[in-house]
Amino acid sequence: MSNIPADLKYVKTHEWLRAEADGSITIGITDYAQNSLGDLVFVEVPKVGRNVAADEACSVVESVKAASDVYAPIAGEVVAANDKLGNAPELLNSDPYGEGWLFRIQPADAGALAGLLDAAGYESFIKTL
């Protein structure tokens, strides 16, 4: 089974979300997603300052198998992007919940995480795939 940290929130498009102390939300792709994609060879992160809507495609990850959109799980402004991934896309494979984060959003709605999946809910969802 995939690594599913209990302290994060998840969405069915396989992104994870972590609330930061400054109110921003860090977003990445799950261990299940990176494992399904295989070796990642290219990552495009959104530009800082971009406003994104919930469920909007705003990033791309490309593996030896396929290219996949990454969606903004919540609406807000992109306040940081992980530029390390441009030269080291393999960080998404080796450390999807740490150094492999994609971008950080200042949420438009402070309660945006409330309705998202917890670790148990995400684990139940991926068992159906």
Side-chain angles (χ1 to χ4, degrees):
M1 186 51 55
S2 293
N3 175 19
I4 306 172
D7 61 331
L8 304 177
K9 291 290 193 171
Y10 300 87
V11 293
K12 290 181 177 180
T13 50
H14 307 291
E15 289 87 14
W16 58 262
L17 300 90
R18 178 177 55 235
E20 302 296 345
D22 65 0
S24 67
I25 307 295
T26 300
I27 297 165
I29 62 170
T30 64
D31 186 51
Y32 177 88
Q34 71 78 21
N35 192 47
S36 297
L37 287 166
D39 292 336
L40 290 153
V41 295
F42 175 78
V43 178
E44 180 182 311
V45 293
K47 293 197 181 313
V48 172
R50 176 178 171 181
N51 285 305
V52 294
D55 304 321
E56 176 184 343
C58 63
S59 185
V60 175
V61 294
E62 195 172 308
S63 72
V64 293
K65 294 181 185 179
S68 297
D69 287 330
V70 176
Y71 299 90
I74 59 172
E77 180 184 349
V78 177
V79 294
N82 190 350
D83 295 328
K84 289 183 194 176
L85 299 176
N87 292 325
E90 66 276 4
L91 287 172
L92 280 171
N93 294 116
S94 63
D95 193 11
Y97 300 112
E99 291 293 313
W101 65 278
L102 290 169
F103 55 97
R104 193 168 290 135
I105 289 180
Q106 188 63 46
D109 173 7
L113 296 185
L116 303 181
L117 296 170
D118 61 11
Y122 182 68
E123 184 172 13
S124 293
F125 168 69
I126 61 174
K127 284 180 180 178
T128 68
L129 300 178

